[in-house]
Amino acid sequence: MAESVVLDPVDLQLLRLLQNDARITYRDLAAQVGVAPSTCLDRVTRLRRSGVILGHRLQLDPAKLGRGLQALLSVQVRPHRRELVGPFVERVRALPEARSVFHLTGPDDYLVHVAVADMADLQRLVLDEFTAHREVARVETRLIFQQWECGPLLPPGHADS
């Protein structure tokens, strides 16, 4: 398990602001936090080097890209052995429909978030890319009606106010 990093109030404010707008300039970021731009740059660089900030992502609207139907696939793999985990995850991650993959405890081994064109595309994906593989024992599909993003991720005890 990775060790947590000690963050002071300035670091926490930087993280709050960057999670809301990763394209904010260092000058504007520094002004909002109340530090010099060079201090702001140094702190953000330190947060990147320590692994707190993993990267920046562009968020796209799946529906505008012709993938208006999203679903969560609960997948059970049998036998659930280490030598199948890596290849299964890499195969799923390579699918253009896959948005994220979670390895779970409990009756299901994986939860896969997918974005597809329509119901026929979802059926094709489940039959051709999941159940067609011998190790996939079961796939349960849940359609996503709507999705909301949540607030910034902060350490326990540092609620966003």
Side-chain angles (χ1 to χ4, degrees), residues 10-52:
V10 172
D11 293 330
L12 293 172
Q13 185 63 16
L14 288 169
L15 293 173
R16 279 187 189 104
L17 293 167
L18 285 169
Q19 285 183 78
N20 288 329
D21 181 7
R23 293 175 30 163
I24 190 170
T25 66
Y26 284 113
R27 182 182 336 187
D28 291 342
L29 188 59
Q32 289 187 45
V33 175
V35 298
S38 60
T39 301
C40 181
L41 176 60
D42 290 345
R43 282 180 173 260
V44 172
T45 300
R46 181 180 50 79
L47 290 166
R48 279 195 187 103
R49 284 190 184 133
S50 66
V52 173

Side-chain angles (χ1 to χ4, degrees), residues 9 20-21 28 46 79-80 83 90 116 118 129-130 134 159:
N20 288 329
D21 181 7
D28 291 342
R46 181 180 50 79
H80 188 200
E83 62 267 16
E90 290 311 309
V116 295
D118 52 30
E129 302 297 341
F130 287 90
R134 202 171 352 145

Side-chain angles (χ1 to χ4, degrees), residues 35-111:
V35 298
S38 60
T39 301
C40 181
L41 176 60
D42 290 345
R43 282 180 173 260
V44 172
T45 300
R46 181 180 50 79
L47 290 166
R48 279 195 187 103
R49 284 190 184 133
S50 66
V52 173
I53 297 176
L54 298 176
H56 305 277
R57 291 182 180 84
L58 183 65
Q59 190 172 359
L60 303 175
D61 182 344
K64 295 208 177 14
L65 296 173
R67 296 181 181 279
L69 182 63
Q70 294 186 65
L72 296 173
L73 307 179
S74 298
V75 182
Q76 193 176 70
V77 173
R78 294 294 175 259
H80 188 200
R81 293 196 314 244
R82 184 171 296 279
E83 62 267 16
L84 293 176
V85 169
F88 176 83
V89 170
E90 290 311 309
R91 188 174 72 242
V92 171
R93 289 183 69 209
L95 296 171
E97 300 87 353
R99 306 308 312 132
S100 55
V101 183
F102 302 90
H103 193 188
L104 308 172
T105 64
D108 298 315
D109 301 313
Y110 299 93
L111 185 64

Side-chain angles (χ1 to χ4, degrees), residues 67 69 71 73 91-92 95-98 112-116 118-133 139 141:
R67 296 181 181 279
L69 182 63
L73 307 179
R91 188 174 72 242
V92 171
L95 296 171
E97 300 87 353
V112 182
H113 177 195
V114 298
V116 295
D118 52 30
M119 197 63 78
D121 196 25
L122 179 60
Q123 181 181 23
R124 176 207 52 80
L125 179 70
V126 169
L127 294 175
D128 295 347
E129 302 297 341
F130 287 90
T131 61
H133 293 274
V139 176
T141 304

